[in-house]
Amino acid sequence: RLLPPRATNSRSSAVSDVYKRQIGGFPFLLTAGPFLNHNARRRSTMKEDAARLISLVDLFPLLRIAVWGDFILDEYLYGFTRRISREAPVMVISYRNREYALGGAGNAAYNLAALGVEVEAVGVVGRDETGREVRRLLRRAGIADGSILAEQEFATPLKTRILAGEE
């Protein structure tokens, strides 16, 4: 599903080197590149680049972006290392806690939303606990999940990382 552009205000004309174009009914931003002052055809200074970057970031709240891809749940298991196993050269870990985060396209959507962009997630998750957690995290971040399909035969990818340190 393509998103219509938001209503613009005077902030959208603040940056002269950003061009708005409709491609297939979806708004895209095209820039002249980070290090080229296209008006003078010379390399810009760091101060000019910083001002341009700030102007571009100020436009983020005006954007609506659909993020399409693989929505993965990242699981982080935290614990303490107590010893090395006698049976194999691996550490024995005492479990402390677990955290979940959006991975894959979900991470990209989360980062855009954190910058003020209105984001619509487009993809597939399973009708499993992992898929339900992905959708909960999307909604908690203010990301629209109406274009996420929940398929019975699909297993939502789960990536587990085990992080351990000393007590």
Side-chain angles (χ1 to χ4, degrees):
R1 180 170 96 187
L2 298 177
L3 306 174
R6 281 192 192 173
T8 59
N9 61 24
S10 61
R11 284 177 35 184
S12 64
S13 61
V15 181
S16 63
D17 59 349
V18 176
Y19 305 96
K20 291 185 179 176
R21 182 166 44 160
Q22 295 286 120
I23 299 176
F26 194 77
F28 283 87
L29 291 179
L30 305 175
T31 66
F35 302 108
L36 180 67
N37 180 331
H38 72 285
N39 293 328
R41 299 287 182 213
R42 64 171 176 81
R43 290 187 64 81
S44 57
T45 66
M46 186 180 281
K47 194 174 202 176
E48 290 169 331
D49 288 342
R52 181 171 177 268
L53 179 60
I54 290 168
S55 296
L56 289 172
V57 171
D58 285 344
L59 292 175
F60 285 1
L62 299 174
L63 300 176
R64 295 184 74 196
I65 296 177
V67 176
W68 174 38
D70 296 326
F71 288 83
I72 300 168
L73 184 63
D74 287 344
E75 176 184 45
Y76 295 88
L77 300 176
Y78 296 94
F80 301 107
T81 57
R82 298 205 183 264
R83 63 184 176 87
I84 295 179
S85 172
R86 289 181 288 230
E87 293 84 21
V90 296
M91 294 184 174
V92 176
I93 298 172
S94 296
Y95 172 80
R96 187 178 66 201
N97 69 321
R98 168 189 328 221
E99 292 178 6
Y100 294 111
L102 292 166
N107 182 264
Y110 179 85
N111 290 333
L112 286 168
L115 290 168
V117 175
E118 185 179 343
V119 180
E120 173 86 23
V122 181
V124 178
V125 296
R127 286 189 183 165
D128 50 17
E129 186 54 38
T130 305
R132 286 188 286 277
E133 184 65 25
V134 166
R135 294 187 84 165
R136 274 194 291 272
L137 290 171
L138 287 169
R139 286 190 296 269
R140 186 180 305 150
I143 300 167
D145 68 342
S147 296
I148 295 281
L149 300 175
E151 292 290 323
Q152 186 67 40
E153 302 299 318
F154 184 78
T156 308
L158 173 68
K159 185 180 347 177
T160 302
R161 294 178 178 89
I162 301 171
L163 305 169
E166 297 179 24
E167 283 187 273

